[in-house]
Amino acid sequence: MRFKHWMLITSVLILEVACAGKTGVSAPPPVGDAQQAASNALITLQKLVTEQNYKALGFSSLEEVKSAELAAPLPMYNIGLDRLKNYQASHDANVLLTASSETIYPVTAGGHVRSSVSVVKKENGYTTASFGNAEIVKGLSRYRNENRPNAFAVRIPALGLYFLGNRIENRLMLTPVAEDTRLPFRIGEAVPVEEVLKAIILLAQTYNGLPM
């Protein structure tokens, strides 16, 4: 599935950062500010992009990478597998959301979202978490820009699922941002969280622990 593909690319790039001796690119040190950490991550991303991987990372040309900029960040919330398995329809769905220590920063070039960097808050400050995930961040950004300025990302790591979260009249709505044949929803259409949960709880209960 496409989720696995992008997760593998992200892992490869993180590995490249870690192998500074081989690439000549060192991982940015932790800093006290998330925005500064994201700026540092963008510089690292620009150094890591090559003729071989720029398309996989979402860019249309290698030259485009040079003009890449950060867009407004998206806070992220996770839904854990155990909580999902134990959820009952009579419960408040909001309790499933756990604020993540990661924040996604879309990366733009020429006015278009191309890729992303993510930073994570640790005990010693903010540092780079990942690069890429282009298809997901393009979807998140596209539907956030459609009258959802206060939106946030919702991730179900075990199932490889991302949604754009938003609250409409205090009701939590989730918008699918990428095609997934496991779900009956249309991309870009906000769905009440209760309806989404009905569709994914079965997936969670039958999940075998293997990457998706």
Side-chain angles (χ1 to χ4, degrees), residues 112-130:
H112 301 284
V113 174
R114 297 302 192 197
S115 191
S116 74
V117 299
S118 295
V119 300
V120 59
K121 184 178 182 180
K122 297 184 176 181
E123 291 184 0
N124 58 345
Y126 292 90
T127 189
T128 305
S130 65

Side-chain angles (χ1 to χ4, degrees), residues 51-140:
E51 188 71 37
Q52 288 71 41
N53 65 23
Y54 73 86
K55 289 183 179 179
L57 284 161
F59 295 98
S60 61
S61 70
L62 191 58
E63 187 68 21
E64 189 178 57
V65 179
K66 299 177 182 178
S67 63
E69 298 178 328
L70 296 175
L74 265 170
M76 183 152 60
Y77 290 81
N78 291 327
I79 297 180
L81 187 63
D82 289 338
R83 286 192 176 189
L84 192 56
K85 286 181 176 179
N86 295 323
Y87 173 76
Q88 297 182 17
S90 59
H91 295 170
D92 180 7
N94 288 279
V95 302
L96 293 175
L97 300 182
T98 301
S100 173
S101 57
E102 288 186 43
T103 301
I104 302 172
Y105 286 79
V107 173
T108 66
H112 301 284
V113 174
R114 297 302 192 197
S115 191
S116 74
V117 299
S118 295
V119 300
V120 59
K121 184 178 182 180
K122 297 184 176 181
E123 291 184 0
N124 58 345
Y126 292 90
T127 189
T128 305
S130 65
F131 306 104
N133 217 7
E135 289 298 296
I136 296 300
V137 76
K138 287 177 183 178
L140 290 170

Side-chain angles (χ1 to χ4, degrees), residues 1-8 11 81 156-161 182 207-212:
M1 295 181 65
R2 72 173 61 186
F3 298 104
K4 184 177 180 181
H5 174 69
W6 291 105
M7 288 169 66
L8 286 173
S11 298
L81 187 63
I156 307 175
L159 302 180
L161 291 173
R182 298 171 297 174
Y207 176 58
N208 60 11
L210 297 176
M212 292 192 170

Side-chain angles (χ1 to χ4, degrees), residues 30-47:
V31 295
D33 177 72
Q35 186 69 36
Q36 183 60 56
S39 296
N40 294 344
L42 177 60
I43 294 172
T44 302
L45 173 63
Q46 290 172 316
K47 293 178 180 178

